[in-house]
Amino acid sequence: MASLILAGDRSGDLFVIRELNRELRLSWRLRRGFVHGMRIRQALSPHEHILESRGMSVHRLAPYEILDYVSGGSLQDLISQRHAEVQGHHLDILRQVSSALAHMHARGIAHLDVKAENILVHADSKAHEVHVKLTDFDLSRHLHGGWRRMRSGTASYMAPEQLTSGRVGFGNDIFAFGVLAYYLVAGRMPFAGFTLDEARYRQADIRHVAMAPRKLCPGLSIRLDEIITACLEKDPDRRFPNMGYLDQELRRI
């Protein structure tokens, strides 16, 4: 949907201009979604684990926002290229993502597109630390009534209730967080199948339970294994009640 332009100011600081693609600027639906995401980002700023906006405007009918620059790649890139290295920081990464999502949920906003591609990671090799920023809020929604219906999202991270009925709520972010955590520690998706249809069936079917992540990652702590498993409950009422509670549980490990 957007073009990304790396730029710098006179002081040498780098930033990114994210602009709606020009060929989409006359599409009311896509333009509205893009502007909505920019406004959500501004409403959530500042937060240390949310990619912050420096401002937003319009150029030749194309809306754009100016974002902080994060050196490094997406979590998806890092897992696929250097899984063992990233896996060594899995708890730090998960705590930072959960902190960002807890911040959103406390303000009544669900992200609804939590996935490895939407998490930017800067690795500080000297300090042996990682710094995470959550981004892409075009699908995020205020959930005044607790839930709504929406089909959009990334299928491999969708909760069963969204796949089957389109129902979304804060529990969808918790399920997607569980998929992300599983992928991070195990290097594979929890409901992987031989075909895409088989994977979606396993993901939606209440009878199919993902293999415990500890079986694929024996060094994983028992408590983190339990947390990931609880996030992946097919029944939303059996998941954590909110992201703030989950964030606290991660910090007790």
Side-chain angles (χ1 to χ4, degrees):
M1 283 186 62
S3 60
L4 301 176
I5 303 168
L6 182 63
D9 58 22
R10 291 179 179 178
S11 66
D13 290 338
L14 295 175
F15 55 89
V16 173
I17 300 172
R18 179 176 180 259
E19 182 181 56
L20 181 68
N21 285 337
R22 294 297 175 88
E23 62 269 23
L24 304 178
R25 62 186 175 179
L26 297 181
S27 168
W28 171 247
R29 181 180 63 86
L30 295 177
R31 180 189 177 90
R32 182 178 60 181
F34 189 86
V35 172
H36 169 82
M38 294 195 304
R39 289 174 175 164
I40 289 285
R41 188 193 304 276
Q42 285 205 326
L44 294 171
S45 299
H47 187 276
E48 60 180 334
H49 299 305
I50 288 177
L51 186 63
E52 192 168 344
S53 171
R54 297 188 181 189
M56 53 187 280
S57 190
V58 177
H59 179 247
R60 294 181 180 176
L61 299 180
Y64 70 89
E65 57 184 340
I66 302 173
L67 306 175
D68 285 343
Y69 171 66
V70 177
S71 61
S74 72
L75 185 56
Q76 174 64 42
D77 294 335
L78 295 177
I79 291 174
S80 60
Q81 296 168 11
R82 308 198 305 258
H83 178 246
E85 181 181 333
V86 176
Q87 191 183 36
H89 296 284
H90 66 265
L91 192 53
D92 283 342
I93 292 171
L94 293 176
R95 284 171 174 166
Q96 292 177 47
V97 175
S98 71
S99 173
L101 290 172
H103 177 72
M104 294 189 68
H105 288 192
R107 284 150 183 77
I109 304 170
H111 189 282
L112 301 179
D113 200 18
V114 176
K115 57 182 179 180
E117 292 90 335
N118 286 339
I119 297 165
L120 304 179
V121 183
H122 168 68
D124 188 335
S125 57
K126 293 183 179 179
H128 302 289
E129 294 177 346
V130 292
H131 303 282
V132 163
K133 298 280 188 178
L134 180 66
T135 190
D136 199 343
F137 304 98
D138 292 355
L139 297 182
S140 300
R141 294 291 183 272
H142 287 88
L143 298 180
H144 302 294
W147 66 275
R148 62 187 296 164
R149 296 195 183 278
M150 191 174 84
R151 291 289 183 180
S152 302
T154 302
S156 56
Y157 286 84
M158 283 184 182
E161 61 269 22
Q162 186 178 9
L163 287 172
T164 56
S165 67
R167 180 168 174 158
V168 297
F170 295 114
N172 295 70
D173 282 351
I174 292 173
F175 185 88
F177 180 85
V179 174
L180 170 72
Y182 195 106
Y183 181 42
L184 176 60
V185 302
R188 53 165 283 183
M189 300 296 273
F191 304 104
F194 290 106
T195 65
L196 186 59
D197 287 342
E198 182 182 0
R200 294 296 85 79
Y201 174 79
R202 291 181 176 184
Q203 193 169 328
D205 186 2
I206 198 168
R207 296 167 298 180
H208 185 86
V209 178
M211 180 185 296
R214 262 176 67 87
K215 291 186 177 180
L216 298 170
C217 182
L220 193 68
S221 76
I222 293 174
R223 183 55 185 147
L224 184 53
D225 180 88
E226 293 171 345
I227 288 173
I228 295 172
T229 300
C231 289
L232 294 174
E233 285 283 356
K234 299 297 180 69
D235 181 351
D237 292 333
R238 299 186 64 180
R239 296 176 207 145
F240 287 96
N242 56 65
M243 206 68 209
Y245 184 88
L246 173 54
D247 184 54
Q248 292 177 5
E249 288 298 303
L250 284 172
R251 293 176 194 285
R252 292 191 178 105
I253 299 176

